[in-house]
Amino acid sequence: MAHGQDHGRHMSARLAVYGGSFDPPHIAHVLVASWALAMGEVDSVIVLPTLEHALGKTAGASFEQRLAMCERAFACLRGVQVSGLEQTLGTPSRTYKLLLALGEQHPGAQLRLVIGADIVAELPRWFRYEDITRMAPPLVVGRAGYSPPDGTQLVMPEVSSTRIRAALAAGEPVGAWVPASVRAYIAEHGLYGASRGATA
């Protein structure tokens, strides 16, 4: 799956913007992208690993490693493209800045911002969040313990990158949570303190 700065002309007019740390990407991330496409609200999904988390979280893998893992995780889905755009925008990572750049790359596109229901309450903390919701109305995915504003009952599996990193560091298997191609990359590069056996 290609990434880069010349992808604008290849993307459709209704574009879901799916950002996150993806540290590492896991099966729930893949399911979210698949759900966004299946619901018919958008024609394409663009996955954008965050260069630097705006709310102070620390990444366990480098931006380049997270980008590479995302390319592997989402390769199975047509209509999904992984982009390294955030790297060109510099820090701090801002969703508003990202949407402006995407608007320039995709003039006339209808953007939707994919977020989990657990993030909705955090939106007022985001830089220029009112502009963000105007530029890219949220496409909210259900999470355990949270209900989307429209009452949709869909709930994604309760999987977290934090839990996966802890499991890998403890030598526990993560095969039920992480796509095989991503597990292979983690083992190859020795990420998160994992050994090859721990990624099974």
Side-chain angles (χ1 to χ4, degrees):
M1 183 179 301
H3 69 272
Q5 304 312 309
D6 61 347
H7 59 267
R9 63 183 179 273
H10 302 301
M11 303 300 285
S12 302
R14 300 186 306 162
L15 176 61
V17 180
Y18 188 18
S21 297
F22 301 113
D23 192 24
H26 52 65
I27 193 62
H29 291 139
V30 178
L31 290 173
V32 166
S34 179
W35 168 82
L37 289 169
M39 290 301 98
E41 297 282 342
V42 298
D43 303 305
S44 304
V45 177
I46 184 166
V47 174
L48 300 118
T50 303
L51 182 60
E52 176 186 82
H53 201 292
L55 299 180
K57 295 181 182 178
T58 301
S62 71
F63 176 83
E64 291 78 12
Q65 289 169 333
R66 290 181 287 118
L67 184 68
M69 287 189 285
C70 282
E71 289 175 338
R72 287 158 176 75
F74 294 97
C76 61
L77 296 179
R78 288 189 176 185
V80 177
Q81 184 164 4
V82 176
S83 170
L85 176 60
E86 280 237 347
Q87 191 172 39
T88 71
L89 301 178
T91 56
S93 294
R94 299 291 191 195
T95 301
Y96 174 74
K97 184 168 57 175
L98 179 64
L99 292 176
L100 285 177
L102 287 171
E104 292 178 359
Q105 287 192 349
H106 309 280
Q110 300 173 21
L111 303 179
R112 300 292 301 275
L113 183 66
V114 179
I115 61 172
D118 55 319
I119 301 298
V120 173
E122 293 184 7
L123 281 176
R125 299 173 56 194
W126 290 20
F127 176 72
R128 300 187 69 161
Y129 82 96
E130 292 180 342
D131 289 324
I132 289 172
T133 57
R134 173 183 54 79
M135 296 163 68
L139 192 59
V140 182
V141 183
R143 292 289 302 272
Y146 302 86
S147 295
D150 62 3
T152 302
Q153 295 303 306
L154 171 80
V155 176
M156 288 295 167
E158 191 61 16
V159 182
S160 76
S161 295
T162 300
R163 183 180 175 191
I164 290 168
R165 292 195 302 271
L168 288 167
E172 299 172 0
V174 296
W177 304 331
V178 182
S181 58
V182 176
R183 299 199 309 270
Y185 185 93
I186 290 171
E188 178 184 353
H189 294 269
L191 298 178
Y192 315 116
S195 64
R196 186 170 297 275
T199 63

